[in-house]
Amino acid sequence: MSENSMRIDKFLANANVGSRSDVKKLIKKKLVIVNETLVSDASYKVDALKDDIRVNGEVITLRTSPSYYVMNKRSGVVTAKKDHLHKTVMDDLHIDIREQLFPVGRLDKDTEGLLLLTSDGDFAHRLTSPKHDVEKEYAVGLDALPLEGELLRIEEGLELKDGSRTKPAKITLSEHPDYTLHITITEGKYHQVKRMFGAIGRKVERLKRVRIGALQLDEHLATGEYRELTTEEVEQLQ
Ligand code: URA
């Protein structure tokens, strides 16, 4: 027997199609087909690498190498794998390996822009840990333009309401009519950008992440859309 041989219920559970009992239900509903043969038994043996395995017509594969995606997050979805109340960024992902991925860091429900999704925990940790100083650039729409001295306070690092201090940040004026300025930070505290501007009395009305490290938000990626990162992009981010 080939070393890649395993029961169909184990294969489909490993491919994150569902739990073994979910898989049994799929088999009962006659939705599981292997090499054009309808499977009627959860113990049916498959070759994980060679067989053509489909559930409801969709080809299922086991991915062993990590995956990396970039999404232009839309406003209105929460950055989480699951949420009982709201739609999540995962609901916008229509790929078979969706269950293996998780978002890198977090954007607020009303924030748009560059969000990475991966199955690689080390990659996610490196990008989100404040120790690694990875730059995150945001386009910010404010209720009013701050004074120069107020912007300088943010650039130097200021104290937030909870007493914590922010690291130095860079600010430039935005050329886009929907945004007031761009801010680049190297940490990701909860609601960080909103709280930094809140500390100088301004309200963030629009927020979009446009860059992480060397990776710019793709202009051709509409909000809610995503694509796989190229190998070069993954290497640059690492
Ligand atoms: N800072 C915020 O306040 N919100 C985000 O979504 C990201 C950074």
Side-chain angles (χ1 to χ4, degrees), residues 1 31 98 158 160 167 225:
M1 197 184 292
L31 291 175
R98 176 169 87 166
L158 46 60
L160 298 176
K167 287 184 174 181
E225 285 186 357

Side-chain angles (χ1 to χ4, degrees), residues 106-108 111 138 185 189 191-195 207:
R106 184 167 32 186
L107 292 178
D108 295 338
T111 300
Y138 294 85
I185 57 177
K189 295 180 201 291
H191 292 331
Q192 172 140 359
V193 173
K194 291 174 185 164
R195 288 160 70 209
L207 190 58

